[in-house]
Amino acid sequence: PNMTQLQRASEIVSSSVRLWETIKANRLPDETARGNVQCMTSYWRVFGTCRIPKPGRDKLFTCVSSKHILVISNNHMYKLNVYDSEGLPSSPVSLEKALDEIHQHSLRPHYIQDGAQEGGVGLWTCENRDSWSKIRSKLQTDNESRLAIVDSAIMVVCLDDAIPSTPDALSQTMLHGEDGQNRWFDKLQLIVCGDGSAAFNMEHAPHDGHTLLMCTTYIYEDILGKKQIPGSAPKSTLIEDLGYSHLQWNLNEELLESIGQAKRNMRAFIEETETSVLNFSHFGADVIKKLKISPDAFVQMAYQLAYFRITGTVQSTYESCNMKGFYHGRTETIRTVSMESKLMCETFFMSASPPSLKDSLLRNAAKRHIQTGSDAKSGR
């Protein structure tokens, strides 16, 4: 449904917190794949989790007892309590009111050197991990309590003024934003634009995309009223003031300069990153299924043919499959290229190749892809 920026943010936060309560209470229905129960441990790392930079190797931290989220608006950070006086997830109306107050506060002149004018302390999370680790060690000296608030937050909400006018611009906003500003990439972020468009930006270390996709589906259906969050109480209608506080970072000149450097580094990285969105509307999975071909295999073979047509070569290609059928399973690689797909590419564009041969080659390559994917998912 059409919503304002703050309505969208408050609705998603409300449903997210209720989902987090369901996860913590072990009331989320078991995920299954072809009748087999899947591992559910990754859901415990979606919310309340932070990737903390350390020399050589980062560590993951999850807090299951926190009652707040982190809100970033105009590069200023705020701790916002998201539970009401009865200890239940706050109502969307209460959240919307608090988010409006935070946004208005972030627009006022601030006369402290908290890094907001330089682009915000979140820019450090864009940096090389070892560099960020060194910066964080220095930051912690005078900001330990503030870092604890960030690390333990259930999630991050980024209120952006941007109103992307094209799918490409929207994708770029959700991927990296303006020079990485108004973000904290070490945690799950909900980014909401000025026109109400929204998306999650996930830190990949704690979990994989399939887990967040399932969470997003629960949240979306809950907002639409199609299906309530499993095992959760109905949304609260209690309207009350929620406590929030402005995180006023204590930064010296060295740290302020490092924010500027991080901003320059991120700008250079963005300039090397091309983002383009293709909305393919000619046909979809239903049409492919009628041809008795796996939609996934069909699309993967289309990638192979397109790349061969452009370059005249076949290159090793990666597709991931989730491994939740195993305890603590993450992902495995499906090697898309096979002798069958190679033969298909080399023959497909020959002028002498009749449609019947192309059809046969495509089906053989798709069949091989399905077998390779099944082997990968089974750990073979």
Side-chain angles (χ1 to χ4, degrees):
N2 291 327
M3 296 183 183
T4 67
Q5 179 187 40
L6 300 182
Q7 286 174 335
R8 182 84 66 193
S10 61
E11 286 285 351
I12 296 176
V13 169
S14 175
S15 295
S16 296
V17 175
R18 289 169 57 244
L19 176 59
W20 182 217
E21 287 298 311
T22 288
I23 293 169
K24 290 190 291 182
N26 287 312
R27 291 196 294 262
L28 200 63
D30 286 337
E31 203 174 297
T32 60
R34 296 184 179 179
N36 298 316
V37 176
Q38 305 293 286
C39 180
M40 301 290 287
T41 56
S42 61
Y43 286 93
W44 284 84
R45 296 189 292 270
V46 175
F47 301 105
T49 298
C50 186
R51 177 177 175 174
I52 299 177
K54 294 290 181 180
R57 185 175 70 177
D58 294 351
K59 76 171 186 178
L60 293 177
F61 167 76
T62 299
C63 180
V64 298
S65 60
S66 60
K67 302 293 184 182
H68 69 279
I69 63 171
L70 182 73
V71 181
I72 310 179
S73 180
N74 292 298
N75 295 327
H76 293 284
M77 292 186 171
Y78 299 83
K79 175 186 177 182
L80 171 63
N81 176 45
V82 290
Y83 288 78
D84 62 26
S85 57
E86 298 177 357
L88 300 174
S90 298
S91 66
V93 177
S94 295
L95 288 166
E96 183 182 354
K97 182 175 181 295
L99 290 172
D100 183 46
E101 292 174 2
I102 286 172
H103 183 248
Q104 294 303 320
H105 185 275
S106 73
L107 294 172
R108 300 174 191 168
H110 296 273
Y111 302 104
I112 56 171
Q113 289 293 331
D114 65 350
Q117 291 183 339
E118 286 75 17
V121 295
L123 278 162
W124 286 320
T125 62
C126 305
E127 280 283 59
N128 169 275
R129 300 306 294 180
D130 285 339
S131 298
W132 171 207
S133 174
K134 293 176 182 177
I135 293 169
R136 182 175 166 121
S137 295
K138 297 175 182 177
L139 178 68
Q140 195 153 356
T141 303
D142 296 316
N143 297 277
E144 187 171 2
S145 62
R146 299 173 186 87
L147 282 170
I149 289 171
V150 173
D151 294 344
S152 61
I154 295 171
M155 61 190 293
V156 180
V157 175
C158 307
L159 299 177
D160 273 19
D161 293 330
I163 301 178
S165 57
T166 65
D168 285 0
L170 180 62
S171 177
Q172 291 157 9
T173 296
M174 300 309 178
L175 179 62
H176 48 65
E178 182 183 353
D179 298 337
Q181 297 183 60
N182 217 52
R183 301 286 186 270
W184 189 271
F185 288 103
D186 287 356
K187 293 179 70 71
L188 175 68
Q189 302 177 100
L190 169 64
I191 302 164
V192 190
C193 295
D195 61 355
S197 56
F200 282 115
N201 182 304
M202 60 174 271
E203 161 52 48
H204 208 324
H207 57 86
D208 299 303
H210 182 266
T211 299
L212 183 59
L213 177 61
M214 291 300 297
C215 288
T216 304
T217 301
Y218 283 127
I219 292 166
Y220 181 68
E221 291 179 340
D222 186 63
I223 292 172
L224 291 181
K226 288 184 175 180
K227 191 184 297 182
Q228 187 172 298
I229 298 291
S232 72
K235 289 181 184 179
S236 170
T237 57
L238 186 64
I239 302 175
E240 59 184 16
D241 292 332
L242 303 178
Y244 71 88
S245 57
H246 182 202
L247 272 60
Q248 298 184 3
W249 299 89
N250 188 358
L251 308 177
N252 57 32
E253 288 301 323
E254 180 185 2
L255 289 171
L256 289 171
E257 171 54 33
S258 68
I259 293 176
Q261 184 59 53
K263 183 177 179 180
R264 291 188 288 274
N265 292 343
M266 187 59 173
R267 183 180 295 128
F269 183 73
I270 291 171
E271 288 175 355
E272 296 176 355
T273 304
E274 183 177 355
T275 307
S276 181
V277 177
L278 170 65
N279 288 319
F280 187 85
S281 58
H282 299 286
F283 58 86
D286 290 342
V287 171
I288 299 171
K289 288 176 182 177
K290 289 179 181 178
L291 297 174
K292 300 188 183 305
I293 302 176
S294 157
D296 173 68
F298 184 94
V299 171
Q300 293 298 325
M301 294 310 107
Y303 292 156
Q304 293 300 314
L305 287 167
Y307 190 84
F308 185 87
R309 188 176 188 180
I310 294 170
T311 68
T313 63
V314 174
Q315 299 292 338
S316 179
T317 309
Y318 169 97
E319 181 189 8
S320 67
C321 65
N322 88 68
M323 299 295 283
K324 290 183 179 179
F326 293 87
Y327 183 53
H328 285 179
R330 293 292 301 263
T331 62
E332 177 58 285
T333 301
I334 301 174
R335 303 296 178 183
T336 305
V337 175
S338 63
M339 294 305 295
E340 288 84 353
S341 70
K342 182 173 182 289
L343 178 61
M344 174 192 69
C345 290
E346 292 172 343
T347 309
F348 205 87
F349 299 108
M350 291 181 179
S351 57
S353 298
S356 59
L357 176 59
K358 296 178 182 181
D359 179 78
S360 176
L361 291 169
L362 172 60
R363 292 180 184 276
N364 287 339
K367 183 178 180 180
R368 167 52 60 189
H369 180 76
I370 293 170
Q371 184 60 53
T372 302
S374 177
D375 290 345
K377 196 170 182 64
S378 302
R380 293 196 294 268

